[in-house]
């Protein structure tokens, strides 16, 4: 915003009337007007001052409303001890206390003290007849109370005036309001508004919002079609533009051009250069881009598209025999808004602390150096406030009750408060800013207990136990409730499911799943729960089922995954369900696939670098340092990137010694297949340990 002494410069424009009042001419809203006045002032100074770039204070990190003495409001209401007046448009006159108004506005301090008049008689009345009285009363509200009522009807007038009069507190309140009001239909206007009035922090927040919600803006915002060509080009060229595919970028250009073809046609060749055609399907390019009538009639557009056409033809010709060359400018991926973190698990016969990140725009996995000191498997993983929490687990010897917290910005791991109970095979989810850890195995018994963690207090609390003991189950939150399904009770693989109502603090049964599932993954996607994969006591499953509490009490089958798997990781990424890793009945796998709810189909994704099961994964959106975890940040180390199909085939054939190890140490699910035998006799401590150690394959 304007520097604190800039209000003094405005006095160059003042004119004294015959009654000794200061009368101000209407002030321009031009972005350049204040800069021009400041430049004039600097030229007139005898001593040249070094230029200082002041930090924008529109949205300070420690923002809070200020509490002013109540007596100020009483004096204002009763018009007591007033020593000045402000005369606004339509004859509004506001008696004021000059000291109070000067305390919040360097601008009015300069007016009242006549600091540019060489000590002449102080001014007691100021005329600002271009300012509506109802708007200026809001500035006075802030001066006397520390707050004012900002709403959609007044913010467009209030913010420029608060900026003009240098009332920083009102500027901050306005910017906070606009930030909370950001919507796809209005964000472009707020962004341009913030740029016009030098609200740098709000401008940056607006830019990030536009990047993230671009598809919805294209669909819902009437402001989109009113962008200038330069504004649209800046958005489309942005590496951080959050679009699932480049087809969306083409639709954006097409929508904007067709809004006013005659005037906007000349800008098309330049806008066509904003697209990354190497990431576009050849069918879409030939059927939609090249056949667009405006392009067919414009030779300059065809020249722009010629290299892309040639590149896509070559890619189409070698389909299946090669990968996209991401180093080619035409195929340069954008920076993903969401980063997938896959952490820990069981690999090559032992637990691991490896961390891999997945760039969905480049379809590449990257190994990270930000590993924790202790390897873990069968742990829970979740995110809160852009931090990753790793909960419980097993390292081959010890069952953990510890909690580790990873900050992906600083790349540091920290210890957090321990749970009341050790839990591996634990089911973890988040709801209402808290973490829920349910069931699991403590090295002696399967548990029905659950506990809840509050990060602000760094404290766990017990919640009512479930109806069934469950380890190797899975939990998810949907519509203000916590669901848990499947698992192993110590005697059988379960198909039962329960729901915890956080308001009543009670568990209740819901309809059981179609199949019993241990090592299952439950995920909330759109308005439903999806239970995927797992072990039914005999085989690993590729099937899945869906439960929608609003439409039916029953579970319904969904399309099967390509690979059967248990003890794998599941996340929501790019509005799709991603499943990663696991155990397929023979070996641990690195395969990843994704489910598109719109097409109701599964698609292959690039496999991880490391074969593992008993891992956990989570997604963090909007990281300030997302570039570091993306292809852009990892390009120099791309050799570690995508595991090739050839390496995958070798893994299937040779494995990790998994089959041989499995013959010696049964997994938990394999024991459950013969649970009748366990009913006949007690399970010895040695058998329990074998179950825990061996379960890395499940």
């Amino acid at each position: 915003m304007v520097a604190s002494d800039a209000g003094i410069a405005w006095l160059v424009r003042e004119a004294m009337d015959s009654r000794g009042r200061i009368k101000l001419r209407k002030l321009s809203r031009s972005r350049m007007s204040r800069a021009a006045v400041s430049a004039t002032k600097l030229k007139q100074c005898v001593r040249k001052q070094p230029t200082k770039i002041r930090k924008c204070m529109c949205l300070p990190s420690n923002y809070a409303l200020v509490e002013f003495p109540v007596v100020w409001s009483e004096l204002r209401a009763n018009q007591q001890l007033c020593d000045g007046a402000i005369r606004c448009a339509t004859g509004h006159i506001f008696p004021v206390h000059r000291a109070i108004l000067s305390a919040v506005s360097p601008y009015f301090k300069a007016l009242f003290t006549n600091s540019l008049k060489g000590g002449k008689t102080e001014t007691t009345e100021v005329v600002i007849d271009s300012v509506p009285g109802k708007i200026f009363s809001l500035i006075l509200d802030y001066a006397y109370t520390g707050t004012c009522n900002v709403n959609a009807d007044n913010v467009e007038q209030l913010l420029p005036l608060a900026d003009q009069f240098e009332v920083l507190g009102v500027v901050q309140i306005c910017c906070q309001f606009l930030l909370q009001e950001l919507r796809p239909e209005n964000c472009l206007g707020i962004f341009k508004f913030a740029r016009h009035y030098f609200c740098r922090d709000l401008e940056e927040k607006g830019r990030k919002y536009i990047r993230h919600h671009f598809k919805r803006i294209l669909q819902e915002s009437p402001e989109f079609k009113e962008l200038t060509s330069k504004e649209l080009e800046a958005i489309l060229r942005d590496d951080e533009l959050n679009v699932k595919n480049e087809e969306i970028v083409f639709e954006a250009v097409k929508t904007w051009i067709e809004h006013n073809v005659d005037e906007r046609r000349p800008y098309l060749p330049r806008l066509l250069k904003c697209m990354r055609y190497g990431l576009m399907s050849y069918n879409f390019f030939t059927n939609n881009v090249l056949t667009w009538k405006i392009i067919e009639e414009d030779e300059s557009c065809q020249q722009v598209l010629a290299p892309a056409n040639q590149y896509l033809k070559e890619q189409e010709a070698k389909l299946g025999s090669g990968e996209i060359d991401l180093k080619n400018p035409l195929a340069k991926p954008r920076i993903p808004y969401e980063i997938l973190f896959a952490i820990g698990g069981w690999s090559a016969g032992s637990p691991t602390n490896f961390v891999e990140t997945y760039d969905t725009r480049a379809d590449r996995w990257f190994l990270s150096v930000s590993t924790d000191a202790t390897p873990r498997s069968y742990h829970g993983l979740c995110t809160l406030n852009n931090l990753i929490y790793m909960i419980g687990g097993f390292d081959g010897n010890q069952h953990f009750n510890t909690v580790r917290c990873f900050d992906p910005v600083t790349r540091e791991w920290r210890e957090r408060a321990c749970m009341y109970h050790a839990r591996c095979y634990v089911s973890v989810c988040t709801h209402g800013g808290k973490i829920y850890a349910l069931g699991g195995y403590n090295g002696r018994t399967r548990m029905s207990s659950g506990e809840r963690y509050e990060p602000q207090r760094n404290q766990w609390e017990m919640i009512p136990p479930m109806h069934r003991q469950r380890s190797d189950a899975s939990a998810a939150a949907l519509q203000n409730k916590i669901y848990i399904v499947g698992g192993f009770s110590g005697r059988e693989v379960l198909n039962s499911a329960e729901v915890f109502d956080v308001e009543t603090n009670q568990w209740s049964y819901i309809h059981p799943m179609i199949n019993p599932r241990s090592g299952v993954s439950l995920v909330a996607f759109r308005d439903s729960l999806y239970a995927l994969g797992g072990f039914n006591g005999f085989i690993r499953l590729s099937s899945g089922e869906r439960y929608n509490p609003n439409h039916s009490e029953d579970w319904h089958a969904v399309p099967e995954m390509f690979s059967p798997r248990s003890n794998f990781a599941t996340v929501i990424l790019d509005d799709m369900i991603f499943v990663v890793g696991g155990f397929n009945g023979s070996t641990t796998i690195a395969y990843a696939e994704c489910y598109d709810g719109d097409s109701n189909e599964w698609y292959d994704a690039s496999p991880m670098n490391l074969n593992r099961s008993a891992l956990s994964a989570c997604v963090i959106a909007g990281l300030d340092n997302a570039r570091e975890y993306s292809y852009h940040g990892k390009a120099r180390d791309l050799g570690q990137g995508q595991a090739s199909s050839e390496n995958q085939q070798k893994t299937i054939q040779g494995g990790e010694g998994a089959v041989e190890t499995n013959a010696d140490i049964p997994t938990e699910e394999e024991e459950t297949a013969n649970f009748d035998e366990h009913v006949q006799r007690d399970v010895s401590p040695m058998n329990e340990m074998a179950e825990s150690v061996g379960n890395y394959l499940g």
Side-chain angles (χ1 to χ4, degrees):
M1 301 307 295
V2 186
S4 62
D5 62 345
I8 299 173
W10 281 105
L11 293 179
V12 175
R13 305 179 64 131
E14 75 179 70
M16 299 291 292
D17 67 12
S18 58
R19 298 173 56 186
R21 300 179 301 183
I22 292 180
K23 186 176 179 69
L24 297 179
R25 287 180 289 178
K26 187 173 182 178
L27 301 177
S28 168
R29 286 190 175 189
S30 168
R31 296 187 64 182
M32 301 304 296
S33 60
R34 288 173 287 169
V37 174
S38 297
T40 302
K41 176 186 170 185
L42 288 174
K43 289 177 183 177
Q44 294 172 347
C45 290
V46 177
R47 294 176 57 188
K48 246 187 170 179
Q49 298 295 327
T51 303
K52 293 183 179 180
I53 300 176
R54 295 178 181 270
K55 183 179 179 181
C56 178
M57 293 299 293
C58 303
L59 296 169
S61 58
N62 60 345
Y63 172 80
L65 293 178
V66 182
E67 292 187 10
F68 289 1
V70 177
V71 68
W72 291 2
S73 295
E74 295 176 353
L75 293 173
R76 178 192 179 194
N78 298 325
Q79 296 188 12
Q80 296 174 319
L81 303 180
C82 297
D83 60 353
I86 306 294
R87 187 183 296 271
C88 296
T90 65
H92 279 90
I93 300 176
F94 296 96
V96 298
H97 302 82
R98 290 182 297 160
I100 291 177
L101 188 53
S102 297
V104 299
S105 170
Y107 182 91
F108 280 107
K109 178 183 177 184
L111 294 179
F112 288 136
T113 60
N114 269 341
S115 59
L116 292 186
K117 294 295 181 179
K120 289 185 179 180
T121 305
E122 292 185 353
T123 301
T124 60
E125 184 173 338
V126 176
V127 177
I128 46 176
D129 52 16
S130 64
V131 179
K134 63 179 182 179
I135 299 298
F136 190 77
S137 68
L138 296 172
I139 293 178
L140 289 180
D141 288 344
Y142 176 81
Y144 285 88
T145 68
T147 186
C148 61
N149 180 29
V150 179
N151 56 48
D153 296 327
N154 62 33
V155 67
E156 189 172 349
Q157 288 180 288
L158 181 59
L159 177 55
L161 290 174
D163 180 27
Q164 173 185 316
F165 297 142
E166 300 183 77
V167 187
L168 181 59
V170 176
V171 170
Q172 292 174 347
I173 293 173
C174 290
C175 289
Q176 287 288 343
F177 173 80
L178 289 172
L179 182 61
Q180 294 167 1
E181 290 296 306
L182 278 174
R183 304 285 187 274
E185 62 270 17
N186 68 14
C187 62
L188 291 171
I190 291 176
F191 171 71
K192 290 196 281 187
F193 189 70
R195 288 190 68 194
H196 187 80
Y197 291 106
F198 298 94
C199 302
R200 300 302 186 196
D201 293 340
L202 180 60
E203 177 186 344
E204 183 57 29
K205 297 283 186 181
R207 181 180 289 107
K208 288 182 178 179
Y209 188 92
I210 292 167
R211 288 169 177 164
H212 177 209
H213 297 91
F214 181 73
K215 184 178 180 180
R216 289 188 59 194
I217 292 169
L218 176 60
Q219 296 169 341
E220 302 173 20
S221 174
E223 300 170 340
F224 175 79
K225 296 176 182 178
E226 305 303 324
L227 289 171
T228 67
S229 63
K230 289 185 178 180
E231 289 169 341
L232 179 59
E233 183 180 349
I235 293 173
L236 300 184
R237 287 189 181 277
D238 194 339
D239 278 342
E240 297 186 47
L241 186 64
N242 182 35
V243 286
K244 187 184 293 188
N245 53 57
E246 291 299 304
E247 285 85 341
I248 296 172
V249 180
F250 173 75
E251 292 299 338
V253 171
K254 187 176 181 181
T255 298
W256 187 83
I257 291 287
E258 291 181 344
H259 182 65
N260 191 338
V261 176
D262 294 336
E263 289 187 11
R264 296 178 175 182
R265 186 192 298 265
Y267 301 115
L268 181 56
R270 189 168 180 86
L271 291 174
L272 288 175
K273 296 178 182 179
C274 299
M275 283 171 247
R276 308 181 184 195
Y277 298 99
L279 305 175
M280 187 180 288
S281 73
Y282 184 63
N283 284 339
F284 184 90
F285 182 78
T286 55
N287 297 332
N288 297 79
V289 179
L290 294 181
T291 59
W292 187 18
K293 187 177 179 179
I294 298 176
I295 290 178
E296 287 181 327
E297 298 174 350
D298 193 315
E299 186 176 345
S300 60
C301 290
Q302 295 173 17
Q303 291 175 353
V304 170
L305 295 175
N309 192 18
Q310 180 65 28
Y311 175 84
L312 289 173
K313 278 183 179 179
E314 294 173 357
Q315 288 295 122
E316 184 72 8
K318 61 181 182 181
L319 186 63
S321 61
E323 297 175 356
I324 296 175
D325 180 13
L326 298 181
K327 296 179 181 178
N328 189 308
L330 288 171
K332 179 185 178 184
R334 299 184 189 268
I335 296 170
Y337 179 73
E338 300 172 307
I339 302 292
L340 189 161
F341 289 79
I343 301 178
W346 204 287
S347 180
S350 62
T352 179
N353 61 356
F354 279 146
V355 176
E356 289 188 64
T357 59
Y358 177 67
D359 180 343
T360 182
R361 297 287 171 259
D363 190 27
R364 295 288 192 276
W365 288 87
F366 301 101
L367 289 169
S368 172
V369 297
S370 305
T371 56
D372 195 14
T374 306
R376 293 191 189 218
S377 59
Y378 301 105
H379 51 284
L381 203 71
C382 63
T383 64
L384 273 181
N385 304 318
N386 274 9
L387 298 175
I388 297 174
Y389 290 84
M390 186 164 61
I391 297 162
F394 179 64
D395 68 353
N397 296 301
Q398 183 180 0
H399 301 82
F400 294 120
N401 70 339
T402 54
V403 176
R404 302 285 291 169
C405 179
F406 176 67
D407 186 333
V409 175
T410 64
R411 298 174 178 264
E412 295 177 343
W413 286 91
R414 292 183 300 158
E415 193 81 18
R416 306 304 290 166
C418 295
M419 295 183 290
Y420 285 96
H421 300 283
R423 301 176 188 269
C424 74
Y425 310 120
V426 61
S427 302
V428 169
C429 67
T430 62
H431 174 72
K434 298 180 181 180
I435 300 172
Y436 289 76
L438 309 171
Y441 178 61
N442 62 7
R444 299 178 301 277
T445 183
R446 280 87 193 166
M447 295 183 290
S448 60
S449 65
E451 40 194 306
R452 178 169 54 200
Y453 175 74
E454 187 174 333
Q456 288 76 16
R457 298 167 54 205
N458 189 30
Q459 189 170 345
W460 289 89
E461 62 177 346
M462 299 300 297
I463 64 172
M466 300 177 288
H467 294 296
R468 297 294 304 267
Q469 296 169 288
R470 299 177 188 270
S471 69
D472 229 7
S474 188
L478 179 69
Q479 298 171 359
N480 208 36
K481 294 181 179 180
I482 309 295
Y483 294 83
I484 189 167
V485 301
F488 179 55
S489 68
R491 297 172 59 87
E492 61 178 333
V493 178
L494 303 172
N495 69 342
S496 63
E498 303 181 46
V499 58
F500 179 71
D501 190 319
V502 294
E503 294 181 357
T504 63
N505 213 35
Q506 291 182 330
W507 287 96
S508 56
Y509 280 112
I510 61 172
H511 278 213
M513 295 183 293
I514 300 170
N515 296 299
R517 300 174 186 267
S518 176
V520 61
S521 275
L522 183 72
V523 62
F525 180 54
R526 297 180 178 174
D527 59 351
S528 300
L529 293 168
Y530 288 75
L532 305 171
F535 178 71
N536 64 3
F538 302 97
I539 59 171
R540 270 70 190 179
L541 303 173
S542 59
S543 65
E545 40 195 297
R546 179 172 61 88
Y547 174 76
N548 186 325
N550 296 327
H551 295 142
S552 173
E553 295 182 346
D554 297 320
W555 292 80
H556 301 276
V558 298
E560 293 192 1
M561 298 179 288
F562 294 131
S563 175
R565 60 182 86 210
S566 64
N567 296 96
F568 55 101
T570 307
V571 297
I572 304 299
L573 178 65
D574 248 355
D575 197 32
M576 295 187 289
I577 301 175
F578 274 74
V579 295
V580 181
F583 179 65
N584 66 6
S586 301
T587 184
T588 53
I589 57 177
Y591 300 139
E593 46 189 299
C594 57
Y595 171 76
D596 187 332
D598 295 329
S599 64
N600 198 32
E601 291 183 333
W602 287 92
Y603 299 92
D604 272 319
S606 290
M608 294 184 292
N609 296 286
L610 188 69
N611 285 36
R612 46 181 163 164
S613 67
L615 73 163
S616 287
C618 64
V619 170
I620 293 188
L623 279 177
D624 291 336
N625 61 334
R627 178 182 291 269
E628 297 175 14
Y629 293 99
S630 72
Y631 169 82
H632 288 254
K634 303 285 188 177
R636 60 187 178 185
D637 304 319
L638 189 57
Q640 67 164 343
Q642 184 182 25
S644 68
S645 57
E646 181 182 355
N647 289 340
Q648 286 297 302
Q649 188 62 31
K650 289 180 180 178
T651 300
I652 294 173
Q653 294 170 351
E656 306 171 279
V659 176
E660 292 79 7
T661 306
N662 196 34
D664 296 328
I665 306 177
T667 69
E668 177 164 16
E669 294 92 337
E670 285 169 340
E671 289 204 25
T672 64
N674 300 308
F675 65 85
D676 287 337
E677 180 181 345
H678 289 278
V679 177
Q680 306 297 326
R681 58 181 176 79
D682 293 333
V683 181
S684 70
M686 183 60 69
N687 286 334
E688 292 281 8
M689 179 58 71
E691 172 183 347
S692 302
V693 175
N695 200 29
Y696 71 85
L697 293 174

